[in-house]
Amino acid sequence: MNKIAGLARAFATAAVLLSASVPAVHAQDVTEDQITAARATIAALGVTNSFDNILPNLAERLKNTLIQASPNHQELITATVDEKALGLAARRTDLEREAAAIYARTFTIDELNAITAFYSSPAGKKLLNDGPIASRELLKAADIWASGVSRDLTNEATKSLDEKIGSLPAAQAPAQ
């Protein structure tokens, strides 16, 4: 039994070491010029902005959990978690570096530069700002259009079938 447990630990350790080294291997596949272009693209797109709240949210959740367990130590818990969270804030650059490597592997330098140029332009900035609103409105319009097409298809098909085979009993007529 001890041999199996030891083997399982060795396997788990090897898996962790292997998975930890995979991003480093991928990062070597890209040049500094690609990383630089990718960072500019990421900044223009703001794709990592939504990750800004991860650490503060994690800290708040931890504080709430710890305070529920020890409400008498709320001030100490809050100060300690905030201090430790600030100490970990520098690790945000790891995520930025990984994002740049992903973009650098996904796009060529020319594509990254073109994307950056567009999304840094007034039209690109407007698309980033107003694109989600336009998409929501488009989905609403598609729903309205689909309802109208469904209604018209039902009416026209029912009318045509009525002419060809006679009036369908109410139980057999398609619902509108």
PDB file of all heavy atoms in Angstrom, residues 80-105:
ATOM      1  N   THR A  80      -5.374  41.977   7.607  1.00  0.00           N
ATOM      2  CA  THR A  80      -4.455  40.919   7.174  1.00  0.00           C
ATOM      3  C   THR A  80      -4.737  40.495   5.738  1.00  0.00           C
ATOM      4  O   THR A  80      -3.810  40.393   4.923  1.00  0.00           O
ATOM      5  CB  THR A  80      -4.564  39.701   8.118  1.00  0.00           C
ATOM      6  OG1 THR A  80      -4.265  40.120   9.445  1.00  0.00           O
ATOM      7  CG2 THR A  80      -3.623  38.596   7.699  1.00  0.00           C
ATOM      8  N   VAL A  81      -6.000  40.259   5.420  1.00  0.00           N
ATOM      9  CA  VAL A  81      -6.344  39.827   4.063  1.00  0.00           C
ATOM     10  C   VAL A  81      -6.005  40.931   3.065  1.00  0.00           C
ATOM     11  O   VAL A  81      -5.444  40.664   1.995  1.00  0.00           O
ATOM     12  CB  VAL A  81      -7.820  39.408   3.968  1.00  0.00           C
ATOM     13  CG1 VAL A  81      -8.230  39.157   2.521  1.00  0.00           C
ATOM     14  CG2 VAL A  81      -8.073  38.158   4.808  1.00  0.00           C
ATOM     15  N   ASP A  82      -6.296  42.191   3.400  1.00  0.00           N
ATOM     16  CA  ASP A  82      -5.956  43.302   2.511  1.00  0.00           C
ATOM     17  C   ASP A  82      -4.450  43.382   2.283  1.00  0.00           C
ATOM     18  O   ASP A  82      -3.995  43.575   1.150  1.00  0.00           O
ATOM     19  CB  ASP A  82      -6.479  44.628   3.066  1.00  0.00           C
ATOM     20  CG  ASP A  82      -7.986  44.775   2.936  1.00  0.00           C
ATOM     21  OD1 ASP A  82      -8.610  43.980   2.187  1.00  0.00           O
ATOM     22  OD2 ASP A  82      -8.547  45.680   3.590  1.00  0.00           O
ATOM     23  N   GLU A  83      -3.673  43.229   3.350  1.00  0.00           N
ATOM     24  CA  GLU A  83      -2.208  43.271   3.244  1.00  0.00           C
ATOM     25  C   GLU A  83      -1.699  42.153   2.334  1.00  0.00           C
ATOM     26  O   GLU A  83      -0.858  42.381   1.459  1.00  0.00           O
ATOM     27  CB  GLU A  83      -1.582  43.143   4.636  1.00  0.00           C
ATOM     28  CG  GLU A  83      -0.069  43.029   4.627  1.00  0.00           C
ATOM     29  CD  GLU A  83       0.494  42.657   5.999  1.00  0.00           C
ATOM     30  OE1 GLU A  83      -0.221  42.784   7.012  1.00  0.00           O
ATOM     31  OE2 GLU A  83       1.659  42.222   6.033  1.00  0.00           O
ATOM     32  N   LYS A  84      -2.212  40.949   2.532  1.00  0.00           N
ATOM     33  CA  LYS A  84      -1.772  39.797   1.728  1.00  0.00           C
ATOM     34  C   LYS A  84      -2.226  39.937   0.283  1.00  0.00           C
ATOM     35  O   LYS A  84      -1.493  39.572  -0.638  1.00  0.00           O
ATOM     36  CB  LYS A  84      -2.267  38.480   2.339  1.00  0.00           C
ATOM     37  CG  LYS A  84      -1.721  38.205   3.729  1.00  0.00           C
ATOM     38  CD  LYS A  84      -0.207  38.209   3.737  1.00  0.00           C
ATOM     39  CE  LYS A  84       0.346  38.032   5.127  1.00  0.00           C
ATOM     40  NZ  LYS A  84       1.797  38.124   5.167  1.00  0.00           N
ATOM     41  N   ALA A  85      -3.407  40.478   0.086  1.00  0.00           N
ATOM     42  CA  ALA A  85      -3.900  40.685  -1.278  1.00  0.00           C
ATOM     43  C   ALA A  85      -3.022  41.702  -2.010  1.00  0.00           C
ATOM     44  O   ALA A  85      -2.675  41.500  -3.182  1.00  0.00           O
ATOM     45  CB  ALA A  85      -5.350  41.143  -1.261  1.00  0.00           C
ATOM     46  N   LEU A  86      -2.663  42.779  -1.328  1.00  0.00           N
ATOM     47  CA  LEU A  86      -1.770  43.761  -1.951  1.00  0.00           C
ATOM     48  C   LEU A  86      -0.428  43.133  -2.298  1.00  0.00           C
ATOM     49  O   LEU A  86       0.167  43.455  -3.328  1.00  0.00           O
ATOM     50  CB  LEU A  86      -1.561  44.958  -1.019  1.00  0.00           C
ATOM     51  CG  LEU A  86      -2.718  45.949  -0.967  1.00  0.00           C
ATOM     52  CD1 LEU A  86      -2.483  47.004   0.118  1.00  0.00           C
ATOM     53  CD2 LEU A  86      -2.916  46.611  -2.323  1.00  0.00           C
ATOM     54  N   GLY A  87       0.036  42.228  -1.457  1.00  0.00           N
ATOM     55  CA  GLY A  87       1.289  41.531  -1.742  1.00  0.00           C
ATOM     56  C   GLY A  87       1.203  40.642  -2.967  1.00  0.00           C
ATOM     57  O   GLY A  87       2.208  40.407  -3.638  1.00  0.00           O
ATOM     58  N   LEU A  88       0.015  40.155  -3.269  1.00  0.00           N
ATOM     59  CA  LEU A  88      -0.179  39.289  -4.431  1.00  0.00           C
ATOM     60  C   LEU A  88      -0.536  40.067  -5.703  1.00  0.00           C
ATOM     61  O   LEU A  88      -0.546  39.494  -6.791  1.00  0.00           O
ATOM     62  CB  LEU A  88      -1.276  38.265  -4.142  1.00  0.00           C
ATOM     63  CG  LEU A  88      -0.949  37.233  -3.067  1.00  0.00           C
ATOM     64  CD1 LEU A  88      -2.180  36.412  -2.725  1.00  0.00           C
ATOM     65  CD2 LEU A  88       0.186  36.334  -3.523  1.00  0.00           C
ATOM     66  N   ALA A  89      -0.809  41.349  -5.571  1.00  0.00           N
ATOM     67  CA  ALA A  89      -1.239  42.150  -6.719  1.00  0.00           C
ATOM     68  C   ALA A  89      -0.222  42.148  -7.856  1.00  0.00           C
ATOM     69  O   ALA A  89      -0.595  42.201  -9.028  1.00  0.00           O
ATOM     70  CB  ALA A  89      -1.543  43.580  -6.280  1.00  0.00           C
ATOM     71  N   ALA A  90       1.046  42.050  -7.521  1.00  0.00           N
ATOM     72  CA  ALA A  90       2.088  42.049  -8.554  1.00  0.00           C
ATOM     73  C   ALA A  90       1.967  40.834  -9.475  1.00  0.00           C
ATOM     74  O   ALA A  90       2.453  40.868 -10.615  1.00  0.00           O
ATOM     75  CB  ALA A  90       3.470  42.092  -7.913  1.00  0.00           C
ATOM     76  N   ARG A  91       1.322  39.793  -9.003  1.00  0.00           N
ATOM     77  CA  ARG A  91       1.170  38.595  -9.830  1.00  0.00           C
ATOM     78  C   ARG A  91       0.206  38.810 -10.990  1.00  0.00           C
ATOM     79  O   ARG A  91       0.099  37.966 -11.883  1.00  0.00           O
ATOM     80  CB  ARG A  91       0.722  37.419  -8.972  1.00  0.00           C
ATOM     81  CG  ARG A  91       1.857  36.955  -8.066  1.00  0.00           C
ATOM     82  CD  ARG A  91       1.511  35.833  -7.158  1.00  0.00           C
ATOM     83  NE  ARG A  91       0.932  34.688  -7.814  1.00  0.00           N
ATOM     84  CZ  ARG A  91       0.518  33.615  -7.155  1.00  0.00           C
ATOM     85  NH1 ARG A  91       0.641  33.563  -5.840  1.00  0.00           N
ATOM     86  NH2 ARG A  91      -0.016  32.602  -7.800  1.00  0.00           N
ATOM     87  N   ARG A  92      -0.457  39.943 -11.026  1.00  0.00           N
ATOM     88  CA  ARG A  92      -1.355  40.276 -12.148  1.00  0.00           C
ATOM     89  C   ARG A  92      -0.568  40.311 -13.450  1.00  0.00           C
ATOM     90  O   ARG A  92      -1.092  40.004 -14.515  1.00  0.00           O
ATOM     91  CB  ARG A  92      -2.023  41.621 -11.860  1.00  0.00           C
ATOM     92  CG  ARG A  92      -2.943  42.140 -12.944  1.00  0.00           C
ATOM     93  CD  ARG A  92      -4.173  41.236 -13.081  1.00  0.00           C
ATOM     94  NE  ARG A  92      -5.241  41.894 -13.788  1.00  0.00           N
ATOM     95  CZ  ARG A  92      -5.284  42.046 -15.107  1.00  0.00           C
ATOM     96  NH1 ARG A  92      -4.317  41.604 -15.852  1.00  0.00           N
ATOM     97  NH2 ARG A  92      -6.307  42.657 -15.672  1.00  0.00           N
ATOM     98  N   THR A  93       0.707  40.685 -13.364  1.00  0.00           N
ATOM     99  CA  THR A  93       1.549  40.726 -14.569  1.00  0.00           C
ATOM    100  C   THR A  93       1.710  39.330 -15.172  1.00  0.00           C
ATOM    101  O   THR A  93       1.907  39.212 -16.383  1.00  0.00           O
ATOM    102  CB  THR A  93       2.932  41.330 -14.284  1.00  0.00           C
ATOM    103  OG1 THR A  93       3.586  40.556 -13.280  1.00  0.00           O
ATOM    104  CG2 THR A  93       2.819  42.774 -13.834  1.00  0.00           C
ATOM    105  N   ASP A  94       1.623  38.275 -14.352  1.00  0.00           N
ATOM    106  CA  ASP A  94       1.696  36.910 -14.885  1.00  0.00           C
ATOM    107  C   ASP A  94       0.548  36.660 -15.851  1.00  0.00           C
ATOM    108  O   ASP A  94       0.728  36.053 -16.907  1.00  0.00           O
ATOM    109  CB  ASP A  94       1.644  35.877 -13.755  1.00  0.00           C
ATOM    110  CG  ASP A  94       2.841  35.947 -12.817  1.00  0.00           C
ATOM    111  OD1 ASP A  94       3.873  36.528 -13.206  1.00  0.00           O
ATOM    112  OD2 ASP A  94       2.722  35.425 -11.696  1.00  0.00           O
ATOM    113  N   LEU A  95      -0.632  37.129 -15.487  1.00  0.00           N
ATOM    114  CA  LEU A  95      -1.796  36.960 -16.345  1.00  0.00           C
ATOM    115  C   LEU A  95      -1.641  37.775 -17.630  1.00  0.00           C
ATOM    116  O   LEU A  95      -1.963  37.294 -18.718  1.00  0.00           O
ATOM    117  CB  LEU A  95      -3.073  37.367 -15.605  1.00  0.00           C
ATOM    118  CG  LEU A  95      -4.384  37.213 -16.365  1.00  0.00           C
ATOM    119  CD1 LEU A  95      -4.597  35.783 -16.844  1.00  0.00           C
ATOM    120  CD2 LEU A  95      -5.544  37.672 -15.495  1.00  0.00           C
ATOM    121  N   GLU A  96      -1.137  38.976 -17.511  1.00  0.00           N
ATOM    122  CA  GLU A  96      -0.901  39.809 -18.703  1.00  0.00           C
ATOM    123  C   GLU A  96       0.111  39.144 -19.632  1.00  0.00           C
ATOM    124  O   GLU A  96      -0.061  39.148 -20.850  1.00  0.00           O
ATOM    125  CB  GLU A  96      -0.411  41.205 -18.303  1.00  0.00           C
ATOM    126  CG  GLU A  96      -1.434  42.041 -17.580  1.00  0.00           C
ATOM    127  CD  GLU A  96      -2.609  42.440 -18.450  1.00  0.00           C
ATOM    128  OE1 GLU A  96      -2.442  42.638 -19.670  1.00  0.00           O
ATOM    129  OE2 GLU A  96      -3.714  42.552 -17.888  1.00  0.00           O
ATOM    130  N   ARG A  97       1.157  38.584 -19.051  1.00  0.00           N
ATOM    131  CA  ARG A  97       2.194  37.905 -19.831  1.00  0.00           C
ATOM    132  C   ARG A  97       1.601  36.691 -20.550  1.00  0.00           C
ATOM    133  O   ARG A  97       1.865  36.459 -21.729  1.00  0.00           O
ATOM    134  CB  ARG A  97       3.354  37.496 -18.925  1.00  0.00           C
ATOM    135  CG  ARG A  97       4.562  36.972 -19.617  1.00  0.00           C
ATOM    136  CD  ARG A  97       5.771  36.675 -18.721  1.00  0.00           C
ATOM    137  NE  ARG A  97       5.512  36.511 -17.302  1.00  0.00           N
ATOM    138  CZ  ARG A  97       5.720  37.446 -16.378  1.00  0.00           C
ATOM    139  NH1 ARG A  97       6.183  38.624 -16.712  1.00  0.00           N
ATOM    140  NH2 ARG A  97       5.462  37.205 -15.101  1.00  0.00           N
ATOM    141  N   GLU A  98       0.767  35.927 -19.854  1.00  0.00           N
ATOM    142  CA  GLU A  98       0.132  34.758 -20.475  1.00  0.00           C
ATOM    143  C   GLU A  98      -0.829  35.186 -21.576  1.00  0.00           C
ATOM    144  O   GLU A  98      -0.888  34.563 -22.633  1.00  0.00           O
ATOM    145  CB  GLU A  98      -0.594  33.922 -19.421  1.00  0.00           C
ATOM    146  CG  GLU A  98      -1.144  32.618 -19.950  1.00  0.00           C
ATOM    147  CD  GLU A  98      -0.095  31.676 -20.520  1.00  0.00           C
ATOM    148  OE1 GLU A  98       1.065  31.703 -20.080  1.00  0.00           O
ATOM    149  OE2 GLU A  98      -0.446  30.900 -21.443  1.00  0.00           O
ATOM    150  N   ALA A  99      -1.587  36.246 -21.336  1.00  0.00           N
ATOM    151  CA  ALA A  99      -2.498  36.757 -22.360  1.00  0.00           C
ATOM    152  C   ALA A  99      -1.718  37.186 -23.606  1.00  0.00           C
ATOM    153  O   ALA A  99      -2.121  36.882 -24.732  1.00  0.00           O
ATOM    154  CB  ALA A  99      -3.309  37.924 -21.812  1.00  0.00           C
ATOM    155  N   ALA A 100      -0.606  37.864 -23.404  1.00  0.00           N
ATOM    156  CA  ALA A 100       0.214  38.297 -24.539  1.00  0.00           C
ATOM    157  C   ALA A 100       0.754  37.090 -25.299  1.00  0.00           C
ATOM    158  O   ALA A 100       0.770  37.085 -26.541  1.00  0.00           O
ATOM    159  CB  ALA A 100       1.357  39.187 -24.055  1.00  0.00           C
ATOM    160  N   ALA A 101       1.183  36.064 -24.582  1.00  0.00           N
ATOM    161  CA  ALA A 101       1.697  34.862 -25.243  1.00  0.00           C
ATOM    162  C   ALA A 101       0.594  34.178 -26.052  1.00  0.00           C
ATOM    163  O   ALA A 101       0.833  33.710 -27.169  1.00  0.00           O
ATOM    164  CB  ALA A 101       2.286  33.904 -24.212  1.00  0.00           C
ATOM    165  N   ILE A 102      -0.609  34.143 -25.504  1.00  0.00           N
ATOM    166  CA  ILE A 102      -1.735  33.528 -26.217  1.00  0.00           C
ATOM    167  C   ILE A 102      -2.029  34.299 -27.501  1.00  0.00           C
ATOM    168  O   ILE A 102      -2.175  33.714 -28.575  1.00  0.00           O
ATOM    169  CB  ILE A 102      -2.983  33.460 -25.310  1.00  0.00           C
ATOM    170  CG1 ILE A 102      -2.757  32.431 -24.206  1.00  0.00           C
ATOM    171  CG2 ILE A 102      -4.240  33.147 -26.122  1.00  0.00           C
ATOM    172  CD1 ILE A 102      -3.771  32.504 -23.076  1.00  0.00           C
ATOM    173  N   TYR A 103      -2.109  35.608 -27.396  1.00  0.00           N
ATOM    174  CA  TYR A 103      -2.364  36.422 -28.591  1.00  0.00           C
ATOM    175  C   TYR A 103      -1.206  36.318 -29.582  1.00  0.00           C
ATOM    176  O   TYR A 103      -1.426  36.270 -30.792  1.00  0.00           O
ATOM    177  CB  TYR A 103      -2.629  37.883 -28.209  1.00  0.00           C
ATOM    178  CG  TYR A 103      -4.086  38.155 -27.960  1.00  0.00           C
ATOM    179  CD1 TYR A 103      -4.737  37.627 -26.852  1.00  0.00           C
ATOM    180  CD2 TYR A 103      -4.836  38.925 -28.840  1.00  0.00           C
ATOM    181  CE1 TYR A 103      -6.085  37.849 -26.621  1.00  0.00           C
ATOM    182  CE2 TYR A 103      -6.182  39.154 -28.620  1.00  0.00           C
ATOM    183  CZ  TYR A 103      -6.792  38.606 -27.514  1.00  0.00           C
ATOM    184  OH  TYR A 103      -8.140  38.826 -27.305  1.00  0.00           O
ATOM    185  N   ALA A 104       0.025  36.273 -29.088  1.00  0.00           N
ATOM    186  CA  ALA A 104       1.195  36.174 -29.966  1.00  0.00           C
ATOM    187  C   ALA A 104       1.206  34.841 -30.712  1.00  0.00           C
ATOM    188  O   ALA A 104       1.641  34.786 -31.871  1.00  0.00           O
ATOM    189  CB  ALA A 104       2.477  36.335 -29.152  1.00  0.00           C
ATOM    190  N   ARG A 105       0.738  33.784 -30.076  1.00  0.00           N
ATOM    191  CA  ARG A 105       0.672  32.478 -30.752  1.00  0.00           C
ATOM    192  C   ARG A 105      -0.510  32.400 -31.711  1.00  0.00           C
ATOM    193  O   ARG A 105      -0.476  31.657 -32.680  1.00  0.00           O
ATOM    194  CB  ARG A 105       0.556  31.346 -29.725  1.00  0.00           C
ATOM    195  CG  ARG A 105       1.831  31.050 -28.979  1.00  0.00           C
ATOM    196  CD  ARG A 105       1.742  29.767 -28.160  1.00  0.00           C
ATOM    197  NE  ARG A 105       0.628  29.716 -27.225  1.00  0.00           N
ATOM    198  CZ  ARG A 105       0.657  30.174 -25.978  1.00  0.00           C
ATOM    199  NH1 ARG A 105       1.760  30.727 -25.514  1.00  0.00           N
ATOM    200  NH2 ARG A 105      -0.399  30.079 -25.199  1.00  0.00           N
TER     201      ARG A 105
END
